[in-house]
Amino acid sequence: MTENVVVLGAGYAGAGAINKLQSELGGSAQLTWIADVDYHLVLHESHRVIRDPSVRSDITFPIDDIADPSTRFIRDEVTGLDVDEQVVELADGDDVEYDYVMVGLGTQTAYYGIPGLDDHSLTLKSLDDALEIHDAISDASQEATRGDPAQVVIGGAGLSGIQTAGEIAEFRDNHRAPIDIHLVEALEEIFPGNDPEVQQALRDLLEDAGVQIHTDDPITEANEDVIEFDEGEPLEHDVLVWTGGITGRDAMDDVDLENEHNRVNTEANFQTSDERVFAIGDSAIIDQGDQPAPPTAQAAWQAAEVVGENISRAIENRPLKTWEFKDKGTVISVGDKAVAHDVMVLPVDTFGGIPAKNLKKMIAARWIADITSWNEARKSWSSL
């Protein structure tokens, strides 16, 4: 009997899993891919669209460029997963039956109960989000003057917040726009929890770009044109972007699986509390001993290489492989510049300049080549 294998999501986890499953299954199972968009977005480059919307054509790839002709694709929103009936529930279409399902739905923005933040902020979780931020800062800058510049505030100084601030600074410079940029972080330093050397390198680039950094004071409330802090003076804003946290998708809210905040708990082999349900990427909290795997693109890419093989092994009733995350370092862009830290193959802990910039380009190009082709990666190079 042919097994039905279903993959949920078109992000790094979903696209990577589809790519691997197509080679592993070789047509021996019916493979179905379900996502709410008909393209894969290179999400860690989506901040480039804030500066220049034309970049989107170089960081989005149609499903047809990734899926084999034999892979069935359904464009619909996943609203639930019934593990007893073994069906995926959809917003518009009929339920989809599965024998095995791989959850790669990603996450949504967490607001931590801060009053008004959901209503008055923009986020960066999709292509549409990046385009909305571009339009918002463009509109705000057109209404501003040198004497009364537009105030753009980015809440959360993790990787996404830092890269967003850098792109808005590039937009400001390219358009000679009257914009003040503020990066706000509740903890003591930007890029929290990381090595002080890379924190300082990023701070230097941001300050050189004219970004005003506010740390060690959490936001307590957001209103239409001002945010309040625990201790400091209120900060007015024309545009507020929130990048401060993640939580699981609502679709996983009532799923009968072990989970934390709608992110599914898995073993190191990606199997959940139901042996027919696997999960990777930001949707999953993957057991790695003392700490789970980080919710990063790098972890999703690595996991996707193994989850496809493990689903194939499960179908064949063979032992599953255990996965161990290997941190290969971090590369973060600040506009046209970048900082690299703790890259495994290099003896230098932290560096910038052209080597860091090209390394970031190469990481994205390698991913694009893996799921499409090196020719597509080459065409995207200038936008990365």
Side-chain angles (χ1 to χ4, degrees), residues 7 15 43 82 142 171 187 202 205 247 257 269 281 301 322 327 329:
V7 172
L43 183 60
D82 188 328
Q142 289 176 19
F171 174 92
L187 300 178
L202 289 167
L205 286 184
T247 189
L257 297 169
N269 58 17
W301 298 349
T322 297
D327 189 349

Side-chain angles (χ1 to χ4, degrees), residues 73-253:
F73 177 73
I74 299 173
R75 182 176 180 178
D76 206 337
E77 179 187 356
V78 176
T79 58
L81 184 67
D82 188 328
V83 297
D84 293 326
E85 297 297 325
Q86 291 183 203
V87 296
V88 178
E89 298 165 349
L90 303 178
D92 298 320
D94 295 333
D95 292 350
V96 177
E97 297 181 352
Y98 69 83
D99 294 299
Y100 293 91
V101 62
M102 204 293 295
V103 179
L105 292 172
T107 57
Q108 60 189 7
T109 302
Y111 297 97
Y112 303 120
I114 300 171
L117 194 55
D118 188 0
D119 293 331
H120 300 299
S121 66
L122 304 177
T123 61
L124 185 58
K125 300 292 289 181
S126 69
L127 177 60
D128 287 343
D129 287 347
L131 291 167
E132 187 175 8
I133 295 170
H134 168 85
D135 290 346
I137 63 171
S138 179
D139 290 346
S141 67
Q142 289 176 19
E143 297 175 3
T145 64
R146 294 295 171 194
D148 186 20
Q151 302 298 311
V152 178
V153 178
I154 301 100
L159 187 149
S160 184
I162 290 168
Q163 296 191 142
T164 296
E167 290 302 313
I168 294 173
E170 291 287 350
F171 174 92
R172 176 203 62 206
D173 295 345
N174 291 347
H175 295 274
R176 298 182 180 178
I179 296 174
D180 288 344
I181 305 165
H182 304 266
L183 181 61
V184 175
E185 172 55 52
L187 300 178
E188 292 184 1
E189 187 50 86
I190 63 170
F191 203 32
N194 288 277
D195 188 288
E197 185 177 9
V198 68
Q199 290 176 334
Q200 187 60 53
L202 289 167
R203 177 179 278 273
D204 290 344
L205 286 184
L206 287 164
E207 289 178 343
D208 287 346
V211 176
Q212 301 174 53
I213 299 173
H214 311 257
T215 58
D216 201 21
D217 198 1
I219 297 172
T220 57
E221 186 176 356
N223 296 302
E224 185 176 2
D225 54 9
V226 66
I227 53 175
E228 307 283 347
F229 293 95
D230 186 38
E231 297 179 352
E233 293 296 315
L235 185 60
E236 293 184 355
H237 65 83
D238 296 288
V239 179
L240 173 60
V241 182
W242 176 249
T243 66
I246 61 171
T247 189
R249 294 274 186 174
D250 292 340
M252 305 305 290
D253 189 24

Side-chain angles (χ1 to χ4, degrees), residues 25-82:
L25 297 176
S28 63
Q30 172 60 57
L31 187 56
T32 300
W33 192 3
I34 304 173
D36 58 1
V37 294
D38 58 359
Y39 57 84
H40 168 69
L41 169 68
V42 183
L43 183 60
H44 75 284
E45 296 294 339
S46 63
H47 57 281
R48 305 293 189 193
V49 176
I50 296 171
R51 183 199 324 185
D52 180 5
S54 70
V55 167
R56 60 185 160 182
S57 62
D58 289 326
I59 60 170
T60 55
F61 299 90
I63 292 299
D64 289 345
D65 287 357
I66 303 168
D68 289 344
S70 60
T71 296
R72 179 173 63 144
F73 177 73
I74 299 173
R75 182 176 180 178
D76 206 337
E77 179 187 356
V78 176
T79 58
L81 184 67
D82 188 328

